[in-house]
Structures are given as structure tokens and as C-alpha cells.
């Protein structure tokens, strides 16, 4: 595919309406994301208008947190938009690795700013969800996909009254009811996204879209876990059912966020010494004032001028900041004055009087505590409680005294005996503690530890050592201590690597940070390797008497709903796959005799399945690589590209999966019947994954109210035209029937309770599942099955694929 002025590098993603490519804008050498509308939809005025409208709206919105448009045009019937290329992916991908409260608040604030700008310009987005929130290289959030956005004050004529557009999980109550929406609807959707960032799950969940919408209308607002309770008031206002009860604008939301940030971004203080730290005294006083403040807030109704709940939040946030940041008394007083300047004089007087009494009592207690501590402490320990300058002065005074006055008889005798027996060559050890195995240290750090122990723990014994050293050739104390250090420990380099390269390597049972070739003493070391989207590896590595090099293989870790596309070459990629979890289900139905007996089937392994049926575009890559272009299947004039492949035999489908496996190195194949029905049901026990009476959910000949079923025939629909099932898989009902691995039988007698396909050496008929555009709705149910000759090529039969992970 060629677009003038752009050099296409590779496909980034593909959806039902368009494909996105990474391209170079040749005029200025800029990387852009080139969004190209599906050729089959370009003829539809409705879709073309919506595609063009996205560019028109975004072109009027200039904001750092809204995606930018660089060019728009049409070439040989292909509508395209050139926009920002956002390298860090979507919020959906980021949430799989987990987000902290601070990260979630940062993203929320940036999106609030983007919505404030869009609403000010007169547009409501109507489809706020994680997939439409992307990230720049600097991790700043960007709002994208304004395809269903609408002007607030004018009717653009693209949608009709009562039409529901958006994603059910994130719809506001008024949006779910098809009522007119304004900016507050976007803020509700943003509240759902914020809840999901904090909890890792949606606030309302159900198997069916209608049930989700009902919960948004009637269910109470869920509670956040205790660690995020600070955000509950904000969630309550964002998810209010009535728009009038919500936060009214993006600007107001930013103000609330800034108050929360004040309390969240406070440093932690490490109080090392009770009596010597002025910070500790100030911290205690501040905490006592905070207690008084809370009690005062509780008693506020007994005074005139009661404050609202909204006023209490910033006050409490400022007190939290003052307490945790350990400000000096002047700045702390200034903070109190700033927040309480509007209070009644009598309330302020009460607070200050209580603070003075607490301060007086605290200093009285502190002085008493300090005196008792000094009286009870031994001489050696009382010096350690004094300020550093006093300790140095006291040590100098002690050293100036005669050595004979600093040692008792027992210490003098022990040191002399030790010196005469070993000629002062034995390292100094603490005789009061048994020998223990300690982490290895370098020669320098060992000397430092010995010196520190001599100065601080042996106390005045060091003066005697100095005296003895002077008798031995006049050597200094430092030389004597250096001679007494332990023997040098033999260290050996350790090098850890992995395939693919790990994001982080740690050694868990020592403090030093790992680096390639780190030198360690003999012993066992617990090594941890971690990488995003891979399972964390932990292994014990043993070092004996030589250098050690170890390499580990990291295993990909897939979560339910994770999508990926394997690379075929620098210009193309394999079909988009989505991860389906393991589980069990009841296979078959009493409504069809060839689907009996019903049995419980267990799917023991997680696997990935193509989100869409294999398209003409996907299959064309195979034909070109295998030089089989002359055997290209006929499309009956319905269109190729994003339409499902048709007129392929069972063997054609198998050949495609084998080619894909060779190209990617991953194992691809057709699904078994059990795997196919498990995916099609998506944990739904009925005949369809959608509510029984729903229409316009699939493409079939009768009963679906399909846009592609005409009076005298039917045809395939573009992939993704109808909604995906709860597993995120499209077109499991209708459109085209799909080849599976199993030989066809007209019953399930003797079938195993697992996902293995039923195979026969002399098999002539294979099973097709899902029904097609030419079938009635009864034939496209999750349990419907038919048989077809392996060599059959029909405009009603295609296939989808499975990837083993």
C-alpha cells in the first residue's frame, strides 16, 4: 500500500473500521501513525463521515494531552489520517503491570486537563476508555480516538436521538439511556477509568452489555480498598448517577486532584535519635496539633459557622502535608494561617489555646524524659546520646588523661595476655558475641568495620592499644589496627544474563546492587530476574572458587485479554491474537440432536485465538510469500482487504497455519471443536453470548436484522462490524462458518472431557462451526455444528486460528 508523502514501515494495529501503520512523513522525516480506513467501508457515507469528523474535531483541539493531527486525505479510495505516533502504548497495557496511587492521580489530572480543553471548545468525547488513552515517550497521557465525539451545542447529523454510542463498561447512566450528553458524561467515564487504575478491575461487571448498563443506572457506587480510601470522595462524585451531583467540569476536577496531591507527595522522615533530634520534637507537636484539629472538626457543629465537607478536605490535606514534611515552626504556623484565615475568631482562639497547653505539657514531659535517660545510662552510652560536637570534645578530654586511669585491672590483664601470646597479630573481635556467618565485604570495608568497632564499642580500650603500640617500634594506632584486620576474602565475579534481556536483575540476599561481573565471596546467592509481561525468575546460584556465568530463559506471561501480533517481516505482522483463559464449560445442547450428549469439558491451558476471522489481507501475505497468487480465492465482488477469507478448503486453512508457524516460530493451528465452542460461549450458558432477544449482534440471513442481508441474498460483513463477545473475540456467530480440526460426527458419544480434537485416519468430512451469513439465526448458535467435505470451497466458509502460548 502506498500513500503519497509517507513511507509505511509496519502495521501497528488493525480494527474493524481502520488499520494503523507506523510511517515516515517524508517531507520532514517525522514518525507518524497513519490511520487508514478500510476500503470496504470507504463506500459507506456513514463511516466516511465519521472518519473525516475525527480529523476535523482533533484539528480544532490544540492541547499537549490530546493527540495531534498532521495530515488528512484520500488516495485511490483510501481515507487516511496522519497523527502523533505514541510509542508507549495504551493505558490498558500499562494497567497490566499495575499502577500506584500517585501514577493514577497523575494520569487522571492530565486527562482532566485534556477534557477541560475539549469541553471548552464545545466537544464531548463519548468514548473514554483505557484503549483510547495513549502515552508519549515521556509517559505523559494523551487522549485519542474522537471518532464518536460530538459537538455539545450543535447536532452534527451523524447520530440520531436515542442512539447509544460508546463502550458499555465506561458509559455514563445518561449515555446508556441514549439521552443527550455533555462534558459531565465524559467525567463519569473518566471516573470509571480512575477506579480501574486503582483497583485493577471495573466498578461494574456482568456477562452482558445490557446488564452492565443496568448496573451503571442502579447499582451503588463500589468502595475502594482500604489503601485507596483517600480517593473515595472523589470516586463518589465522579460516579454519581445524576449529572448534577457530579464534579461539573475538568477544571473543578483538577482543583480536587491538586488537593489530593498535596497529601500524597509528602516525604517520610526517619527519626534516628529520640533525645538528640529537634525534628522529632517538632513532629510530635505537629501530630498533637493534628489530633486537636480533628477533635475540633468533630465539635464544629456545636459552634456557629459550621464548615462543609468540601472545606474539610483541603484543611485535612494541608495538615497531613505539614505533619509529614516536618516543616519548621514558622512555615507550619504560616500554613495554619493560610487555611484558617476565614474561620471565626473564637474557633481559632480555642485551637491556639489548646495547642499552647499541649506544647507546655510536651516540653515538661520531654525535659523529664531526657534527664531520666541520662541518669540511667552508663558512661559509655551517655556519650552516644550527646550531640556530635560534645562527644568529640569528651573523647579528647579522656584521651588527654594518663592511660593508667582509663583501664581497669581486668581489661589491662586481658590485653597484655593477648598481646604477649599473639604478638598483637590477631584481629580484634568482640568477645561477647559468638562467631557468625556474615555477608562478604571488601578489604577496605573490613578495615572500616574494625576501626569503627575499636572506636565506638571498645571505648577506652583503644587508648591502651595505643600505649602498647607505642612500645612496639613506636608504630601508630592506625598501623596497629591495619595489622589486625581479618585476612582478605577471595571474591569471584558473577555474571547473569537472560533471553530476552531482563529489565532488572537483583541478588535478594545481599545489600549491594547487582552489576555484570560483581565480585562476591564463596556462597549461595538468590538471583531474581524480572521483565514486563514475563514471569519473574528466581534461582539460587552457587559460587565456589571461580568466576560464575549463568544464563536464564524468561517465559512470557499472558493475562486474559492481552493482545499481540507476531512479526512476519519489517512491513507486515501476523493476525491480532487475544489471550483466552483456561476454564471449563458444558459442551453441547439438547436443542440439537447432533450436539448430544452434553458433557463437561475442561480447558486446562491458556491459549490465544485470532480476534477476527482470517481476512483476505492476512491470507494474501501467505499467497505472496508462497508464490501462489494465481490461486487467490474469489471474493464474489464483496470486497477483499478487511473481509473474511472465503472459498478456502480445510487443507488451505491448515497450510496457512503451518506457514504462519514457520514464519513466526510460534505454534499456530486451527481450533478443536471444544476450544471453538468455549471461545464462542465466552462463559455464557445460553445459545448465544448476547441476550436472547437482542438483534443486530451478528451477520446472518434471517433473524439478525443484518445490514448485509438483502431481499435476494446475503454477503459477508467487514471484520469487527458487529460487537465482540466477552472474551473480546469477533464474529463467532454468523458471517462465515469456520473450519476446525475435528472429523465430523453427528453425535458426541465417546468424546473426551478435554479439548483434544476427534481425529480419524480415513476422515473425509471436517466440522465447521458458527454458521454463516446465509443461515438463519437458529443455525449460528454457540452449539450449532455441521459437516463439510475437506475439499469444499464455499463463499460461506472461512476459518480462524489458535496460537499456543
Amino acid at each position: 500500500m502506498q500513500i503519497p508523502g509517507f513511507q509505511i514501515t509496519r502495521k501497528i494495529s488493525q480494527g474493524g473500521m481502520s488499520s494503523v501503520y507506523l510511517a515516515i512523513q517524508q517531507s520532514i522525516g517525522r514518525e507518524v501513525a497513519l490511520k487508514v480506513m478500510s476500503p470496504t467501508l470507504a463506500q459507506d457515507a456513514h463511516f466516511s463521515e465519521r472518519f473525516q469528523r475525527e480529523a476535523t474535531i482533533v484539528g480544532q483541539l490544540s492541547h499537549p494531552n490530546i493527540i495531534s493531527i498532521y495530515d488528512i486525505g484520500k488516495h485511490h479510495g483510501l481515507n487516511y489520517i496522519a497523527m502523533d505516533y505514541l510509542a508507549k502504548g495504551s493505558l490498558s497495557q500499562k494497567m497490566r503491570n499495575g499502577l500506584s496511587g500517585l501514577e493514577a492521580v497523575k494520569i487522571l489530572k492530565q486527562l482532566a486537563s485534556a477534557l477541560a480543553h475539549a469541553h471548552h471548545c464545545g466537544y464531548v468525547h463519548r468514548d473514554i476508555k483505557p484503549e483510547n488513552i495513549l502515552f508519549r515517550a515521556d509517559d505523559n497521557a494523551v487522549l485519542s480516538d474522537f471518532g464518536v465525539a460530538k459537538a455539545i451545542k450543535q447536532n452534527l447529523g451523524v447520530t440520531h436521538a436515542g442512539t447509544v454510542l460508546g463502550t458499555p463498561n465506561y458509559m455514563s447512566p445518561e449515555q446508556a439511556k441514549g439521552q443527550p450528553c455533555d462534558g459531565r458524561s465524559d467525567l463519569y467515564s473518566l471516573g470509571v477509568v480512575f477506579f480501574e487504575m486503582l483497583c485493577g478491575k471495573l466498578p461494574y461487571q456482568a456477562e452482558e452489555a445490557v446488564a452492565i448498563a443496568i448496573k451503571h443506572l442502579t447499582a451503588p457506587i463500589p468502595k475502594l480498598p482500604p489503601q485507596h480510601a483517600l480517593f473515595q470522595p472523589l470516586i463518589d462524585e465522579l460516579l454519581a448517577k445524576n449529572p448534577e451531583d457530579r464534579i461539573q467540569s475538568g477544571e473543578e476536577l483538577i482543583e480536587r486532584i491538586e488537593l489530593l496531591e498535596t497529601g500524597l507527595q509528602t516525604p517520610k522522615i526517619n527519626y534516628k535519635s529520640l533525645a538528640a533530634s529537634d525534628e522529632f520534637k517538632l513532629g510530635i507537636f505537629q501530630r498533637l496539633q493534628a489530633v486537636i484539629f480533628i477533635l475540633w472538626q468533630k465539635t464544629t457543629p456545636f459552634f456557629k459557622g459550621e464548615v462543609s465537607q468540601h472545606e474539610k478536605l483541603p484543611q485535612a490535606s494541608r495538615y497531613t502535608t505539614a505533619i509529614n514534611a516536618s516543616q519548621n515552626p514558622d512555615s507550619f504556623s504560616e500554613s495554619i494561617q493560610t487555611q484558617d484565615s476565614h474561620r471565626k475568631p473564637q474557633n481559632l482562639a480555642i485551637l491556639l489555646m489548646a495547642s499552647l497547653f499541649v506544647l507546655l505539657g510536651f516540653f515538661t514531659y520531654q525535659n523529664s524524659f531526657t534527664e531520666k535517660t541520662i541518669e540511667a545510662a552508663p558512661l559509655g552510652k551517655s556519650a552516644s546520646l550527646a550531640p556530635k560536637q560534645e562527644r568529640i570534645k569528651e573523647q579528647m578530654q579522656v584521651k588527654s588523661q594518663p592511660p593508667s586511669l582509663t583501664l581497669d585491672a581486668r581489661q589491662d590483664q586481658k590485653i597484655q595476655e593477648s598481646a604477649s601470646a599473639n604478638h598483637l597479630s590477631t584481629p580484634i573481635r568482640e568477645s561477647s558475641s559468638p562467631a557468625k556467618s556474615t555477608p562478604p565485604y571488601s578489604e577496605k570495608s573490613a578495615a572500616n568495620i574494625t576501626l569503627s568497632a575499636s572506636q565506638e564499642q571498645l571505648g577506652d580500650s583503644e587508648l591502651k592499644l595505643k600505649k602498647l603500640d607505642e612500645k612496639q617500634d613506636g608504630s601508630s594506632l592506625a598501623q596497629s589496627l591495619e595489622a589486625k584486620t581479618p585476612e582478605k576474602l577471595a571474591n569471584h565475579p558473577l555474571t547473569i544474563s537472560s533471553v530476552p534481556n531482563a529489565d532488572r536483575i537483583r541478588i535478594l540476599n545481599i545489600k549491594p546492587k547487582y552489576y555484570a561481573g560483581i565480585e562476591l565471596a564463596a556462597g549461595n546467592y538468590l538471583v531474581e530476574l524480572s521483565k514486563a509481561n514475563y514471569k519473574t525468575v528466581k534461582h539460587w546460584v552457587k559460587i565456589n572458587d571461580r568466576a560464575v556465568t549463568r544464563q536464564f530463559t524468561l517465559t512470557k506471561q499472558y493475562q486474559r485479554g492481552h493482545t499481540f501480533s507476531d512479526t512476519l517481516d519489517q512491513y507486515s505482522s501476523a493476525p491480532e491474537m487475544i489471550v483466552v483463559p483456561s476454564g471449563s464449560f458444558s459442551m453441547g445442547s439438547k436443542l440439537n440432536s447432533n450436539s448430544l450428549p452434553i458433557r463437561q469439558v475442561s480447558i486446562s491451558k491458556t491459549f490465544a485465538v485470532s480476534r477476527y476471522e482470517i481476512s483476505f489481507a492476512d491470507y494474501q501475505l501467505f499467497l505472496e510469500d508462497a508464490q501462489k497468487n494465481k490461486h487467490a480465492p474469489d471474493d464474489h465482488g464483496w470486497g477483499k482487504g478487511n473481509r473474511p477469507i472465503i472459498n478456502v478448503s480445510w487443507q488451505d486453512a491448515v497450510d496457512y497455519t503451518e506457514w504462519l508457524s514457520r514464519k513466526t516460530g510460534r505454534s499456530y493451528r486451527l481450533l478443536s471443536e471444544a476450544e471453538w465452542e468455549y471461545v464462542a460461549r465466552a462463559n455464557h450458558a445460553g445459545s448465544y453470548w448476547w441476550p436472547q432477544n437482542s438483534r443486530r449482534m451478528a451477520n446472518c440471513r434471517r433473524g439478525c436484522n443484518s445490514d448485509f442481508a438483502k431481499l435476494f441474498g446475503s454477503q459477508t460483513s467487514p471484520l469487527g462490524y458487529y460487537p465482540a463477545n466477552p472474551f473480546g473475540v469477533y464474529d463467532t456467530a454468523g458471517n462465515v462458518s469456520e473450519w476446525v480440526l475435528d472429523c465430523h460426527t453427528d453425535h458426541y458419544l465417546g468424546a473426551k472431557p478435554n479439548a483434544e480434537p476427534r481425529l480419524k485416519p480415513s476422515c473425509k468430512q471436517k466440522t465447521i462451526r458458527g454458521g454463516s451469513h446465509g443461515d438463519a439465526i437458529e443455525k449460528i448458535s454457540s452449539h450449532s455444528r455441521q459437516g463439510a467435505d475437506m475439499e469444499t470451497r464455499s463463499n460461506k466458509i472461512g476459518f480462524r486460528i489458535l496460537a499456543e502460548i
Side-chain angles (χ1 to χ4, degrees), residues 472-676:
Q472 293 187 5
D473 302 326
S475 58
S476 66
L477 174 62
Q479 291 173 335
S480 175
L481 291 173
E482 185 175 353
K484 300 174 184 60
T485 55
E487 295 180 3
K488 179 187 281 188
L489 297 174
N491 294 336
H492 305 285
L494 172 65
T495 302
I496 303 295
S497 61
S498 67
V499 179
N501 290 332
D503 294 337
R504 184 173 68 169
I505 300 176
R506 296 193 301 164
I507 303 178
L508 300 180
N509 58 333
I510 63 173
K511 288 185 178 180
K513 290 185 178 180
Y514 168 82
Y515 57 87
I518 183 174
E519 293 196 350
L520 300 171
N524 294 314
Y525 298 91
L526 182 57
V527 176
E528 178 190 78
L529 300 91
S530 57
K531 184 177 178 66
N533 299 322
Y534 285 80
K535 294 180 180 178
T536 298
V537 172
K538 291 182 182 180
H539 279 287
W540 283 97
V541 176
K542 186 174 183 178
I543 297 178
N544 289 323
D545 56 355
R546 66 191 65 184
V548 175
T549 300
R550 293 288 301 274
Q551 185 179 73
F552 300 95
T553 300
L554 303 182
T555 305
K556 194 81 174 177
Q557 182 172 352
Y558 295 98
Q559 303 293 334
R560 171 180 173 171
H562 174 76
T563 59
F564 63 89
S565 295
D566 286 331
T567 300
L568 296 176
D569 53 46
Q570 60 177 334
Y571 301 108
S572 56
S573 56
E576 183 181 6
M577 310 296 290
I578 187 166
V579 176
V580 175
S582 58
S584 60
F585 72 107
S586 294
M587 184 172 180
S589 171
K590 61 183 180 181
L591 299 177
N592 286 339
S593 60
N594 67 351
S595 297
L596 292 172
I598 299 172
R599 72 187 193 281
Q600 193 72 12
V601 174
S602 175
I603 307 293
S604 59
K605 286 174 138 185
T606 297
F607 60 89
V609 64
S610 54
R611 296 194 72 186
Y612 308 92
E613 294 160 326
I614 300 304
S615 68
F616 269 95
D618 294 325
Y619 198 76
Q620 184 64 32
L621 296 174
F622 160 60
L623 295 177
E624 292 173 357
D625 190 68
Q627 299 181 351
K628 294 182 179 181
N629 279 330
K630 61 180 180 180
H631 301 295
D634 182 20
D635 67 347
H636 283 268
W638 299 339
K640 295 187 177 181
N642 199 34
R643 299 265 180 164
I645 189 70
I646 54 176
N647 292 314
V648 289
S649 68
W650 182 86
Q651 190 59 51
D652 291 335
V654 171
D655 290 345
Y656 173 82
T657 61
E658 292 176 349
W659 167 80
L660 204 57
S661 299
R662 290 194 302 272
K663 293 288 288 185
T664 64
R666 190 192 298 274
S667 178
Y668 285 89
R669 59 175 173 82
L670 297 180
L671 287 77
S672 68
E673 267 205 88
E675 290 164 338
W676 190 97

Side-chain angles (χ1 to χ4, degrees), residues 208 210 591 684-697 703 777-778 781 783:
E208 301 168 358
V210 173
L591 299 177
H684 197 282
S687 296
Y688 311 93
W689 63 262
W690 61 80
Q692 186 67 34
N693 297 324
S694 294
R695 294 293 184 266
R696 299 182 63 82
M697 301 295 284
I777 192 170
E778 293 81 11
S781 66
H783 52 78

Side-chain angles (χ1 to χ4, degrees), residues 1-4 6 8 10-23 32-42 47 51-52 54 71-83 642:
M1 181 176 60
Q2 297 292 329
I3 302 291
F6 298 93
I8 296 177
R10 61 181 174 87
K11 182 188 286 187
I12 299 174
S13 64
Q14 178 176 326
M17 186 175 175
S18 60
S19 298
V20 181
Y21 300 86
L22 177 62
V32 298
L34 196 63
K35 188 173 184 178
V36 182
M37 186 176 181
S38 170
T40 56
L41 296 179
F47 284 101
F51 191 85
Q52 296 287 333
E54 177 179 5
D71 194 14
I72 181 173
K74 190 171 185 177
H75 178 68
H76 293 326
L78 294 175
N79 292 302
Y80 68 87
I81 303 174
M83 59 183 69
N642 199 34

